[in-house]
Amino acid sequence: MYSLSLQKRTSLDELNALFSLGDQIQFIDGPGDFTYVQLETVHGSALISLYGGHVMRYQPQDEAPVLWMSSESQYDAGKAIRGGIPVCWPWFGPHPADKTKPNHGFARISEWHVFATRVIDQDTVQVRLALNSDDHSRFFWPYDFSLQLIVTLSEKLDVTLRVRNTGSSAFSMGGALHSYFTISHIESIKIRGLEDTVYIDQLASDARKTQSGPILFGSELDNIYVDTVNAVVIEDPGLHRNIRVEKTGSQSTVVWNPWIDKSRRMSDFGDDEYVGMVCVETANAVEDLVYLEPGETHQLGTSIQAERLG
Ligand code: TA6
């Protein structure tokens, strides 16, 4: 039995008093003593951690999980959760000038708070989490902002990161909704939608190449596809399904599988877990940065749907 501190129980009780909605939106405790929001509809369920604003699970009714989570994920403040949909913001990858700053920005290692919850109908529920600039964020990045993560569960999963520049200075930002997907086996899937698209091969000194045919996997792959607004489909005959990933507010898509050696180098990633996952990330990466004047807003959105094959 997991015993909660009095303060923790109170905060959960307060959250449920303020924001829970029947059995469709509930706040629960979980790994790392983090607080989670559980969404349920007739179509399936989802789970989101307030730490990191991190969608951890998306499970359509009668389907295998769509999002992948590492069994080795750590749940420690200051460390990103491994799997699900990490919110990479306000930069993608290493900080452009200061390598001591966290990879993929600080949003995914920050404590988000609940802004609003809605039951739109029995088929659709929504939660909005918020993260605003403060002394913690200013340690990493000198600008003022208001973030909202809008998660809508229906017959699909829609995740939108809305950024508003609330300061008096303009800023440029990058980022990604860095989605990890569950697949049957990395060597039996195909990824379509990026054919003939230019990509930056992060494993070949960022050489620019052009995708020929569907993306197939036989070794580590870490590509940033540029100038593309295309939907992507992960064809997975082993699970008798396709996963369709559509996007808004993004001109770049990242596809990644760490394969054997990189998996072994990551302490929060099982040595053999690479066979059951692939990342397809809706990004603002490389030259696809977003410039916001004071008061301006940008939305980066990904829409995820599992489609059963015959
Ligand atoms: O998905 C692309 C990527 O930038 C890879 O290079 C790899 O580093 C991955 O993100 C995971 O990064 P993380 O900081 O979460 O370990």
Side-chain angles (χ1 to χ4, degrees):
M1 172 59 190
Y2 192 90
S3 62
L4 290 176
S5 66
L6 178 60
Q7 182 190 358
K8 179 74 179 177
R9 169 52 62 205
T10 309
S11 66
L12 268 184
D13 291 346
E14 281 172 345
L15 278 172
N16 277 312
L18 287 170
F19 295 108
S20 72
L21 292 166
D23 57 3
Q24 291 190 272
I25 300 181
Q26 286 286 326
F27 293 83
I28 60 173
D29 189 56
D33 197 21
F34 297 158
T35 299
Y36 299 82
V37 48
Q38 193 163 276
L39 305 181
E40 299 277 343
T41 72
V42 294
H43 297 294
S45 64
L47 186 72
I48 308 146
S49 164
L50 297 194
Y51 173 73
H54 200 120
V55 180
M56 291 179 53
R57 190 175 72 229
Y58 168 42
Q59 173 92 47
Q61 201 69 29
D62 306 324
E63 258 298 337
V66 171
L67 295 179
W68 177 88
M69 280 294 298
S70 172
S71 61
E72 308 286 323
S73 179
Q74 293 156 25
Y75 296 89
D76 301 326
K79 171 93 178 153
I81 294 168
R82 178 67 67 187
I85 307 179
V87 177
C88 302
W89 190 84
W91 58 84
F92 178 82
H95 184 278
D98 180 352
K99 297 297 177 267
T100 66
K101 294 193 173 174
N103 200 41
H104 290 322
F106 56 82
R108 66 176 185 168
I109 56 172
S110 297
E111 189 69 27
W112 293 57
H113 59 269
V114 182
F115 180 79
T117 51
R118 278 177 69 195
V119 172
I120 296 162
D121 57 35
Q122 68 160 1
D123 296 352
T124 310
V125 294
Q126 183 182 87
V127 61
R128 292 173 182 242
L129 304 182
L131 182 70
N132 299 317
S133 48
D134 60 12
D135 290 342
H136 174 256
S137 67
R138 278 186 279 275
F139 175 78
F140 295 111
W141 202 58
Y143 301 104
D144 285 327
F145 60 86
S146 172
L147 295 188
Q148 270 198 19
L149 189 81
I150 306 163
V151 182
T152 308
L153 176 63
S154 59
E155 75 288 353
K156 59 190 169 79
L157 181 73
D158 289 296
V159 180
T160 297
L161 179 67
R162 178 184 294 174
V163 185
R164 176 180 296 282
N165 182 345
T166 56
S168 54
S169 310
F171 58 67
S172 277
M173 64 184 189
L177 296 170
H178 189 302
S179 306
Y180 289 73
F181 294 101
T182 299
I183 55 172
S184 56
H185 195 288
I186 190 63
E187 294 182 274
S188 64
I189 64 163
K190 291 180 182 171
I191 295 183
R192 295 192 185 277
L194 295 167
E195 294 83 349
D196 304 321
T197 304
V198 171
Y199 65 90
I200 295 165
D201 183 342
Q202 296 202 94
L203 303 175
S205 308
D206 288 349
R208 285 178 185 250
K209 304 175 180 177
T210 299
Q211 179 64 38
S212 172
I215 302 169
L216 308 175
F217 296 82
S219 61
E220 182 180 357
L221 185 146
D222 195 349
N223 295 344
I224 303 175
Y225 292 81
V226 296
D227 299 328
T228 175
V229 295
N230 291 0
V232 164
V233 176
I234 304 168
E235 294 183 349
D236 188 355
L239 284 178
H240 308 290
R241 74 178 181 193
N242 292 342
I243 297 175
R244 184 176 179 81
V245 184
E246 299 184 354
K247 65 175 189 174
T248 55
S250 159
Q251 305 273 337
S252 45
T253 298
V254 184
V255 178
W256 176 55
N257 183 278
W259 214 252
I260 298 167
D261 293 345
K262 182 144 190 180
S263 298
R264 290 184 177 156
R265 293 198 299 270
M266 294 186 284
S267 61
D268 60 349
F269 197 108
D271 289 355
D272 302 324
E273 287 188 320
Y274 72 95
V275 298
M277 56 70 66
V278 69
C279 282
V280 175
E281 306 158 34
T282 294
N284 291 132
V286 197
E287 55 256 26
D288 179 21
L289 297 183
V290 176
Y291 178 81
L292 291 184
E293 292 284 359
E296 287 188 325
T297 299
H298 175 71
Q299 293 200 162
L300 177 66
T302 195
S303 181
I304 297 166
Q305 184 157 19
E307 301 164 345
R308 192 129 280 293
L309 296 178

